[in-house]
Amino acid sequence: AQKITQTQPGMFVQEKEAVTLDCTYDTSDQSYGLFWYKQPSSGEMIFLIYQGSYDEQNATEGRYSLNFQKARKSANLVISASQLGDSAMYFCAMREGGAGGFKTIFGAGTRLFVKA
Amino acid sequence: SAVISQKPSRDICQRGTSLTIQCQVDSQVTMMFWYRQQPGQSLTLIATANQGSEATYESGFVIDKFPISRPNLTFSTLTVSNMSPEDSSIYLCSVVGTGVGNTIYFGEGSWLTVV
């Protein structure tokens, strides 16, 4: 069964506008971490933001914020004031606690296109 | 975060041959991970490489096809053996960083095309 679900294969956003990329997850662990990564066409994986399952505040990093709704098991990424350089693939990922250790699993990704 | 270097960055390989990808980290790390990303797909974990022990492979990946070495705390290699076109992928090395949440950080990736 899918543990990380990203339902938007592609998204378009106008430059300078905000965009939300959806992510839902499935776990029975109480302790887990949620991550977002950006992958430009160069192929490198760039870490953007982290949210811990016990964190009460939504994580923010510059123009990135994570809308964490624990009861709904969702961890949406919000990018404010989109820039042309934000055009890339975005992956939601989860690390479970317990026997899973530090293994991080990834969703299918969302390709974001920023229009000028 | 650690600086992670991978070699080669790209290669075109002949069917039936093997290629070894190197991953060098600028600091000592306990756990290293190898991922595969097939064209247009997400990342799939191949194995966890710990120094001093055999790598732990995920379902669908076997040591004969993807042998891994981890001779010390800063270096690992992944070999893709007897390659076929289905092995054409980006192979990514990653390590657990020292930041919050045990975030994993990635090398630049090795793009392999098998012809």
Side-chain angles (χ1 to χ4, degrees):
Chain A
Q2 282 281 3
K3 289 206 164 189
I4 301 283
T5 303
Q6 295 181 253
T7 57
Q8 305 154 315
M11 287 281 287
F12 285 87
V13 64
Q14 195 68 40
E15 193 179 11
K16 299 180 186 174
E17 293 186 351
V19 63
T20 298
L21 306 183
D22 295 342
C23 173
T24 58
Y25 59 92
D26 181 28
T27 181
S28 56
D29 284 0
Q30 296 301 308
S31 174
Y32 52 90
L34 298 159
F35 308 83
W36 279 91
Y37 289 83
K38 173 184 178 181
Q39 187 179 42
S41 56
S42 59
E44 61 185 312
M45 290 288 288
I46 302 168
F47 165 68
L48 296 178
I49 196 166
Y50 162 79
Q51 179 85 42
S53 58
Y54 294 118
D55 295 341
E56 294 185 354
Q57 304 262 7
N58 285 342
T60 59
E61 287 286 348
R63 293 186 299 111
Y64 304 108
S65 60
L66 199 152
N67 184 0
F68 181 46
Q69 298 188 40
K70 193 170 183 176
R72 296 180 58 187
K73 294 189 175 178
S74 75
N76 298 339
L77 176 71
V78 180
I79 305 174
S80 63
S82 298
Q83 302 172 355
L84 295 177
D86 293 335
S87 293
M89 280 291 288
Y90 288 81
F91 292 97
C92 179
M94 176 174 68
R95 175 189 49 74
E96 293 178 295
F102 292 106
K103 284 197 295 188
T104 304
I105 56 174
F106 288 79
T110 296
R111 183 168 294 281
L112 179 66
F113 300 91
V114 180
K115 300 182 289 184
Chain B
S1 63
V3 176
I4 308 165
S5 303
Q6 276 186 242
K7 285 190 223 182
S9 56
R10 289 180 183 266
D11 210 338
I12 299 173
C13 309
Q14 295 295 319
R15 188 189 304 242
T17 63
S18 300
L19 184 84
T20 297
I21 302 166
Q22 298 179 4
C23 178
Q24 179 75 53
V25 188
D26 70 343
S27 58
Q28 294 185 337
V29 293
T30 304
M31 303 179 78
M32 295 177 80
F33 305 90
W34 286 98
Y35 284 85
R36 180 177 74 180
Q37 186 179 24
Q38 293 176 302
Q41 303 293 314
S42 184
L43 281 74
T44 302
L45 182 63
I46 298 172
T48 303
N50 295 326
Q51 193 266 339
S53 63
E54 292 269 336
T56 304
Y57 289 83
E58 297 300 306
S59 175
F61 297 96
V62 295
I63 188 171
D64 289 348
K65 176 68 175 176
F66 298 100
I68 288 171
S69 78
R70 184 78 202 274
N72 57 52
L73 291 173
T74 63
F75 187 77
S76 178
T77 67
L78 168 76
T79 298
V80 186
S81 303
N82 188 23
M83 286 186 282
S84 66
E86 293 70 36
D87 295 319
S88 297
S89 298
I90 305 174
Y91 292 86
L92 296 124
C93 167
S94 67
V95 304
V96 178
T98 56
V100 293
N102 296 306
T103 303
I104 62 170
Y105 295 91
F106 288 85
E108 317 96 320
S110 297
W111 295 60
L112 301 189
T113 302
V114 184
V115 297

